[in-house]
Amino acid sequence: MGKSLDPKKIKSAQRVLEVLEFFNSDRQECTVMDIARQYGYPQSSTSELLSCLVALGYLRRDMWSRTYKPTARAAMLGAWVQPRRFRHGHIASMMDELAAETGASILLASRIGVSVQIAHAVLQDGAGERLNAGASLRLLHSAPGKALLSTNCINNTKKIVHRINAECDEHHRIKVDEFLLELSAIRTQGFAVSFDENGHGMISIQLPSSAEEETLALTVVAEAEQVRARLDDIVQILRGAIARAFAVRETGFENTNTIGLLGRAV
């Protein structure tokens, strides 16, 4: 039997990561109370946590303004992960440029178990915290989820659908055969589209990847009317940005489905 995890240690680890992710939304600095209010932490324990991160070299404190900023050590966290995409790649700058060009929010997402998790987000005003990094989306109903599943093994996809259907409310259940046909269409056209009950639309394209790399989806989020009116334009903008950022023909990515789709588009 494995040892059970200590809830206190889990909470401590979660808070450290939340503090570091707090700065991931164009926040250059913060105070103790900024963090405490954002996450509902007690002020005393928040102050102690930030002081600990200063001592470890991940934050620096301005003694005059009493604000905290991430250090270079924090900036290098995870830089070695998937270096071709991140350390030596252009995903972050590509997302910033897409947000500026489209006027929409841009998400980078991956599949975690039977849900979609946002890894990085460039959000426009009014996008809401539901799209922040770390937030989850429905795997079978969201555009990034469908884009991520579009190149998945069919038998594995069937198992995922059956599992989600067994655990979700009846109105969220889907028919396996119809869903597989939808995924086939997504593979052919090279992008996925979805609309939610909040009046937003999403357009997603799976990023090129090698066999060793995590499968990721790049997504544009805007008002549903805007997505419908500009669908072709946004798809072309996405495809062009991805092709330029990944230099598909030169890097030798092995995800042939994605490469083929990009190759037809640019």
Side-chain angles (χ1 to χ4, degrees):
M1 295 288 291
K3 295 175 62 177
S4 60
L5 298 175
D6 185 342
K8 291 183 179 180
K9 292 181 179 179
I10 295 174
K11 183 178 290 186
S12 296
Q14 177 183 341
R15 288 184 174 182
V16 168
L17 295 174
E18 286 177 339
V19 167
L20 294 177
E21 288 186 341
F22 179 84
F23 294 97
N24 201 30
S25 301
D26 292 331
R27 297 183 177 101
Q28 300 299 316
E29 59 184 22
C30 73
T31 65
V32 170
M33 287 308 300
D34 289 334
I35 297 290
R37 281 193 292 264
Q38 175 73 17
Y39 298 110
Y41 299 165
Q43 181 179 350
S44 58
S45 61
T46 303
S47 180
E48 185 176 352
L49 174 60
L50 296 183
S51 296
C52 180
L53 290 173
V54 169
L56 291 171
Y58 291 106
L59 296 179
R60 67 176 185 273
R61 182 178 184 270
D62 186 312
M63 62 181 297
W64 304 111
S65 63
R66 297 183 180 181
T67 57
Y68 295 82
K69 297 180 179 180
T71 65
R73 187 178 185 188
M76 292 304 294
L77 276 174
W80 54 272
V81 179
Q82 302 178 44
R84 181 163 52 177
R85 289 170 154 185
F86 298 102
R87 188 168 193 165
H88 307 304
H90 306 283
I91 287 181
S93 59
M94 174 184 65
M95 293 176 67
D96 290 336
E97 291 167 4
L98 280 170
E101 184 174 1
T102 62
S105 296
I106 310 297
L107 310 179
L108 182 70
S110 64
R111 180 165 72 88
I112 305 295
V114 292
S115 67
V116 175
Q117 187 174 79
I118 300 172
H120 180 56
V122 181
L123 302 179
Q124 303 290 355
D125 292 340
E129 293 185 2
R130 68 186 184 88
L131 296 179
N132 278 330
S136 294
L137 303 171
R138 293 185 180 276
L139 181 62
L140 306 184
H141 299 84
S142 67
K146 294 174 183 179
L148 290 167
L149 287 176
S150 65
T151 56
N152 196 43
C153 167
I154 292 178
N155 287 334
N156 189 20
T157 299
K158 287 181 179 179
K159 292 178 183 178
I160 291 171
V161 174
H162 286 309
R163 176 179 170 182
I164 293 177
N165 279 344
E167 296 175 352
C168 70
D169 297 333
E170 185 174 355
H171 67 282
H172 283 133
R173 293 172 188 163
I174 64 172
K175 296 181 179 180
V176 177
D177 292 340
E178 291 181 1
F179 187 67
L180 291 177
L181 286 175
E182 183 179 2
L183 294 184
S184 178
I186 290 170
R187 278 196 301 276
T188 300
Q189 67 189 14
F191 62 90
V193 182
S194 68
F195 299 94
D196 63 26
E197 61 276 9
N198 298 312
H200 293 98
M202 293 185 174
I203 305 172
S204 294
I205 293 180
Q206 188 182 131
L207 293 182
S209 62
S210 69
E212 296 79 23
E213 291 174 326
E214 183 179 14
T215 305
L216 300 172
L218 186 67
T219 302
V220 172
V221 184
E223 296 293 330
E225 291 183 5
Q226 183 181 5
V227 168
R228 291 188 176 97
R230 297 187 58 201
L231 178 60
D232 292 341
D233 178 44
I234 292 174
V235 168
Q236 291 304 316
I237 291 172
L238 269 173
R239 284 172 165 162
I242 293 170
R244 291 190 299 272
F246 282 81
V248 173
R249 295 177 180 84
E250 299 176 6
T251 53
F253 286 109
E254 297 176 13
N255 189 331
T256 54
N257 286 326
T258 307
I259 293 174
L261 295 170
L262 288 174
R264 291 198 298 271
V266 286

